[in-house]
């Protein structure tokens, strides 16, 4: 009888201890953060950098969530638009440095960007843009009326162009 009581009481304490440990974990993180802030100069600088990175990460998540909610899974609309601008970006290569921790060296990695043709269209008084192919880019001129397939943002009301055709 005593053995069963011990098993039950250990189980109850284990569950209680598990809940307590999650709160202890949060308290430990907060306590470590306080200590970092008071440990001048290295700890304070690291804590500030950690705060900046966390705020930036939250901002990116909020922006991506806003963009997804504003433009995904909406009914497609058809309308007329007017080409208000065109932009061509020629193919180019950029370079990014990649650090190898094992050899403590940096390697330059080339990143190739192909040609890009962008057409800017005004739809109901609002501007939007779309990357198009070279043939369509050459056919369309500024001021040309085009048939536009787009969605209208839930929150912003901005058009998000899905396709373009000559009218």
């Amino acid at each position: 009888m005593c053995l069963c009581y011990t098993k039950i009481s250990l189980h109850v304490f284990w569950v209680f201890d598990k809940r307590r440990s999650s709160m202890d974990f949060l308290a430990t993180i907060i306590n470590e953060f306080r200590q970092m802030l008071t440990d001048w100069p290295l700890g304070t600088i690291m804590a500030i950098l950690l705060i900046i990175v966390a705020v930036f990460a939250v901002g990116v998540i909020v922006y991506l969530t806003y963009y997804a909610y504003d433009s995904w899974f909406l009914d497609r609309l058809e309308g007329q638009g007017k080409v208000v601008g065109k932009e061509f970006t020629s193919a180019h290569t950029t370079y990014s440095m990649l650090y190898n921790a094992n050899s403590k060296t940096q390697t330059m990695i080339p990143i190739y960007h192909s040609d890009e043709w962008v057409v800017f269209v005004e739809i109901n008084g609002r501007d939007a843009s779309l990357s198009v192919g070279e043939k369509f880019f050459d056919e369309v001129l500024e001021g040309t009326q085009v048939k536009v397939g787009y969605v209208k943002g839930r929150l912003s009301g901005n058009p998000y162009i899905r396709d373009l055709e000559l009218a």
Side-chain angles (χ1 to χ4, degrees):
M1 175 112 179
C2 187
L3 184 61
C4 289
Y5 176 73
T6 305
K7 282 185 179 180
I8 291 171
S9 64
L10 286 177
H11 178 70
V12 169
F13 284 123
W14 181 78
V15 170
F16 175 73
D17 196 39
K18 190 174 178 183
R19 288 185 189 151
R20 188 171 151 224
S21 67
S22 65
M23 291 304 288
D24 286 345
F25 177 72
L26 187 59
T28 303
I29 289 176
I30 292 170
N31 190 32
E32 287 292 324
F33 209 70
R34 283 184 188 156
Q35 288 178 1
M36 282 177 71
L37 285 170
T38 59
D39 181 23
W40 178 257
L42 185 61
T44 305
I45 293 170
M46 292 295 287
I48 291 170
L49 287 175
L50 189 61
I51 290 170
I52 291 170
V53 168
V55 168
F56 180 76
V58 167
V60 168
I61 290 169
V62 167
Y63 173 76
L64 292 175
T65 303
Y66 168 80
Y67 180 79
Y69 182 74
D70 194 42
S71 64
W72 291 0
F73 308 112
L74 295 171
D75 293 333
R76 186 185 199 94
L77 303 170
E78 296 286 331
Q80 290 289 326
K82 178 181 169 186
V83 175
V84 294
K86 296 174 16 172
E87 183 178 288
F88 171 70
T89 305
S90 62
H92 59 283
T93 303
T94 58
Y95 296 91
S96 180
M97 297 300 287
L98 180 65
Y99 179 71
N100 184 340
N102 290 332
S103 63
K104 300 203 182 328
T105 60
Q106 289 187 343
T107 306
M108 192 176 299
I109 305 294
I111 301 169
Y112 178 75
H113 303 274
S114 60
D115 290 336
E116 183 179 23
W117 297 272
V118 179
V119 175
F120 298 93
V121 180
E122 183 181 296
I123 307 165
N124 299 329
R126 295 203 176 199
D127 290 340
S129 64
L130 182 69
S131 292
V132 296
E134 181 179 8
K135 183 179 176 188
F136 184 82
F137 185 83
D138 291 337
E139 289 175 359
V140 72
L141 301 171
E142 287 189 35
T144 304
Q145 291 291 325
V146 289
K147 185 177 175 184
V148 184
Y150 67 99
V151 296
K152 186 176 178 182
R154 284 184 184 98
L155 302 173
S156 67
N158 291 333
Y160 296 95
I161 300 176
R162 300 297 185 234
D163 62 64
L164 286 175
E165 295 177 22
L166 288 173

